Amino acid sequence: MRNKIALYGAGNVGATTGHWLADKEIGDIVMFDIFGQTAAGKALDLYEAGPAIGFDSRITGSSDVGIIEGADVVVVTAGVPRKKDPVTGKFPSRDELVKINQDVMSQVSENIKKHAPDSIVIIVTNPLDAMCHVVKHVTGFPRERVIGQAGALDTARYKTFIALELGVSVEDVHGIVLGGHGDTMVPLPRHTSVAGIPVTELISQEKLDAIIDRTAKGGGEIVGLLGYSGYYAPAAGTAIMVESILKDKKRVIPSAVYTQGEYGYQDLFIGLPVVLGRKGVERILDMDLNEKERAMLDHSAEAVRSVVAVLGYD
Ligand code: APR
């Protein structure tokens, strides 16, 4: 039987995730969105691209949530993204969106529980780490099946800037970004290499610091240019997670995961290196962090905790 991938939210990130996934031919795709016929329209448009590109993924969309019935993987992008307030002209921070999106996410979680009770849920909606808590809390799914997309995107941005600085292929850049999905994220240059060569031997500390800073502010940089959140890279990061799960590739992709003692954290979603396979989060890899890295991760965990506190769960 073919895999079924449900895109819960067919806005910019949801539909673009469908775009990347269709080409991978790893399952049939269904899109759901509450906004009019958006999901049906985008799904049909994308499906009609199949003959030109040569993919056989079936893509359908609806404003009836029943379309997600029995999905193997549900990608959640439903929510209100960061955008300029038309009155004040200011952008809300990720964290200010927490209350609005908590309501959305609670409803989303109820629907997933009802229609796709065995699914693996990948959350993309911001503020990411807090939204993972809502889904876990409301669905009651085991932690293996509630995963936040954060590190896949943050790591992709980090690698892009390193490849750009050195003028080398992005394929040869390996690295990892841990922590919460926000300004306190933790890119790890000591664990970054270019074809096996430590990046610290290739790029000066000053330039690396600038790359790390640009990575941490990567979301804001795009918002500043577009006036709304980016979607190509977030969608691509999501698509590789879905692929690793459905193909059981067991790729190591930093993702927001519910900790139960790992790295010293308890009951907190935070970005850590995880093995993604058919069961979802199959393992959390342990890393030997030095004092500075540890302090940065703790600081990031603190920032996540302060947003999670807004949810009002015990
Ligand atoms: N049920 C279903 N769909 C919903 C719901 C809901 N309760 N609430 C909102 N939506 C839909 C909207 O109709 C919209 O089509 O979610 C979609 C969100 O799409 P966009 O506004 O285009 O936002 P997008 O750029 O895709 O970002 C979505 O991902 O990266 C994050 O920060 C980003 O939280 C944001 C999310």
Side-chain angles (χ1 to χ4, degrees), residues 132-146:
C132 292
H133 275 267
V134 179
V135 174
K136 174 108 183 47
H137 182 83
V138 179
T139 61
F141 286 3
R143 69 171 181 160
E144 292 75 22
R145 297 200 280 122
V146 181

Side-chain angles (χ1 to χ4, degrees), residues 204-246:
S204 70
Q205 191 57 49
E206 196 188 355
K207 284 193 171 148
L208 270 175
D209 287 344
I211 287 172
I212 287 168
D213 187 57
R214 190 174 179 192
T215 303
K217 296 176 180 154
E221 182 177 6
I222 303 284
V223 174
L225 293 167
L226 289 176
Y228 47 89
S229 310
Y231 48 98
Y232 293 114
T238 309
I240 60 165
M241 292 173 71
V242 177
E243 181 181 35
S244 186
I245 290 167
L246 290 178

Side-chain angles (χ1 to χ4, degrees), residues 88-107:
T88 62
K90 285 190 184 152
F91 291 106
S93 72
R94 276 195 188 112
D95 298 357
E96 283 167 342
L97 288 174
V98 68
K99 272 297 183 193
I100 307 167
N101 280 330
Q102 181 179 9
D103 290 345
V104 174
M105 209 52 53
S106 299
Q107 184 202 12

Side-chain angles (χ1 to χ4, degrees), residues 8-15 32-35 38 42 76-83 94 97 101 103-105 107-108 111 124-127 149 153 181 228-231 234:
Y8 200 120
N12 283 339
V13 180
F32 165 67
D33 200 289
I34 44 159
F35 185 66
T38 296
K42 289 194 182 181
V76 180
T77 61
V80 180
R82 271 198 291 179
K83 61 179 170 221
R94 276 195 188 112
L97 288 174
N101 280 330
D103 290 345
V104 174
M105 209 52 53
Q107 184 202 12
V108 167
N111 281 331
V124 187
T125 305
N126 279 311
Q149 187 283 102
L153 165 63
H181 187 49
Y228 47 89
S229 310
Y231 48 98

Side-chain angles (χ1 to χ4, degrees), residues 44-273:
L44 181 60
D45 190 17
L46 184 56
Y47 194 29
E48 289 168 354
I53 301 298
F55 59 74
D56 278 309
S57 310
R58 175 141 201 268
I59 306 153
T60 49
S62 175
S63 55
D64 177 350
V65 73
I67 197 169
I68 75 164
E69 195 70 40
D72 298 285
V73 173
V74 181
V75 172
V76 180
T77 61
V80 180
R82 271 198 291 179
K83 61 179 170 221
K84 225 185 229 173
D85 185 308
V87 180
T88 62
K90 285 190 184 152
F91 291 106
S93 72
R94 276 195 188 112
D95 298 357
E96 283 167 342
L97 288 174
V98 68
K99 272 297 183 193
I100 307 167
N101 280 330
Q102 181 179 9
D103 290 345
V104 174
M105 209 52 53
S106 299
Q107 184 202 12
V108 167
S109 303
E110 291 291 358
N111 281 331
I112 293 174
K113 199 170 151 185
K114 180 169 171 211
H115 295 284
D118 299 320
S119 62
I120 295 167
V121 186
I122 298 177
I123 298 114
V124 187
T125 305
N126 279 311
L128 191 272
D129 308 275
M131 293 306 105
C132 292
H133 275 267
V134 179
V135 174
K136 174 108 183 47
H137 182 83
V138 179
T139 61
F141 286 3
R143 69 171 181 160
E144 292 75 22
R145 297 200 280 122
V146 181
I147 317 165
Q149 187 283 102
L153 165 63
D154 299 329
T155 302
R157 285 188 173 137
Y158 177 55
K159 290 180 185 174
T160 302
F161 303 144
I162 287 169
L164 186 66
E165 173 63 30
L166 291 171
V168 300
S169 166
V170 292
E171 286 184 47
D172 293 319
V173 181
H174 302 283
I176 190 161
V177 178
L178 303 184
H181 187 49
D183 298 351
T184 60
M185 68 180 72
V186 188
L188 295 171
R190 213 165 55 87
H191 303 83
T192 305
S193 76
V194 176
I197 308 163
V199 77
T200 45
E201 292 177 16
L202 301 172
I203 303 180
S204 70
Q205 191 57 49
E206 196 188 355
K207 284 193 171 148
L208 270 175
D209 287 344
I211 287 172
I212 287 168
D213 187 57
R214 190 174 179 192
T215 303
K217 296 176 180 154
E221 182 177 6
I222 303 284
V223 174
L225 293 167
L226 289 176
Y228 47 89
S229 310
Y231 48 98
Y232 293 114
T238 309
I240 60 165
M241 292 173 71
V242 177
E243 181 181 35
S244 186
I245 290 167
L246 290 178
K247 286 189 178 168
D248 200 22
K249 279 171 76 91
K250 307 197 192 293
R251 287 197 60 187
V252 179
I253 300 178
S255 308
V257 62
Y258 191 71
T259 48
Q260 287 179 324
E262 293 84 2
Y263 289 71
Y265 304 124
Q266 192 64 41
D267 303 336
L268 186 75
F269 272 94
I270 186 133
L272 296 175

Side-chain angles (χ1 to χ4, degrees), residues 271-287:
L272 296 175
V274 300
V275 176
L276 293 181
R278 198 60 186 83
K279 296 192 183 84
V281 173
E282 299 198 343
R283 219 151 28 107
I284 300 173
L285 299 186
D286 214 6
M287 283 177 76

